C-alpha cells in the first residue's frame, strides 16, 4: 500500500536472486526493465492502475516467471497477451477484475 506509479527494475540490480516480488496495492501505471530480475518466479501486480501488458513484450525478460497476478487493474484489452502466453515457465496467470473487452463481429 504505497503510492508508487512506476517500478523500474534498474533500481534492483543488486537483487539478482530475487524470486518473489509483491508490488500489489500501489498506483503503478508503468513497469519497466524487468530484465534485471532474471530469477523472478512470482510477481504480484494486483490492485494497481496498469492499462496494458506492454511491460511483458520481451518474453526473455520473464523466462523464470511462474506466477503472474495482474488482477484488479485497469487493463482494457488483450494486446500483449501473446507475449505473456509464451512465457516458458508461466503456470498461473490471474487477470480477474479488469476492464477487458473483446470485440466480436456478429454475422
Amino acid at each position: 500500500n504505497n503510492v508508487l506509479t512506476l517500478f523500474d527494475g534498474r533500481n534492483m540490480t543488486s537483487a539478482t536472486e530475487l524470486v518473489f516480488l509483491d508490488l500489489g496495492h500501489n498506483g503503478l501505471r508503468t513497469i519497466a526493465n524487468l530484465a534485471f530480475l532474471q530469477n523472478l518466479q512470482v510477481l504480484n501486480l494486483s490492485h494497481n492502475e496498469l492499462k496494458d501488458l506492454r511491460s511483458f513484450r520481451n518474453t526473455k525478460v520473464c523466462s523464470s516467471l511462474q506466477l503472474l497476478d495482474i488482477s484488479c487493474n485497469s487493463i482494457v484489452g488483450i494486446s500483449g497477451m501473446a507475449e505473456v502466453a509464451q512465457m516458458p515457465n508461466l503456470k498461473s496467470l490471474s487477470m480477474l477484475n479488469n476492464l477487458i473487452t473483446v470485440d466480436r463481429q456478429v454475422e
Side-chain angles (χ1 to χ4, degrees):
N1 290 332
N2 295 299
V3 190
L4 300 173
T5 58
L6 165 69
F7 173 79
D8 191 333
R10 287 182 293 191
N11 299 324
M12 306 281 290
T13 56
S14 62
T16 57
E17 299 303 314
L18 185 69
V19 295
F20 181 92
L21 181 59
D22 186 349
L23 293 170
H25 294 274
N26 283 286
L28 289 172
R29 293 184 185 125
T30 305
I31 307 295
N33 299 306
L34 290 173
F36 290 98
L37 303 172
Q38 297 172 350
N39 293 309
L40 193 63
Q41 295 175 11
V42 177
L43 179 57
N44 178 14
L45 295 170
S46 66
H47 296 90
N48 279 291
E49 297 176 22
L50 299 174
K51 294 187 182 200
D52 55 47
L53 303 173
R54 284 185 289 168
S55 302
F56 302 102
R57 282 194 179 147
N58 182 354
T59 58
K60 293 177 185 174
V61 167
C62 302
S63 63
S64 298
L65 202 60
Q66 295 178 20
L67 184 145
L68 175 60
D69 187 348
I70 51 177
S71 61
C72 302
N73 275 282
S74 299
I75 298 171
V76 295
I78 58 173
S79 176
M81 191 63 201
E83 290 83 357
V84 172
Q86 302 235 349
M87 292 178 186
N89 292 305
L90 191 65
K91 294 176 179 31
S92 179
L93 171 65
S94 178
M95 295 180 69
L96 296 169
N97 296 317
N98 277 287
L99 305 171
I100 298 171
T101 58
V102 178
D103 291 332
R104 295 181 186 222
Q105 191 172 19
V106 178
E107 295 182 24

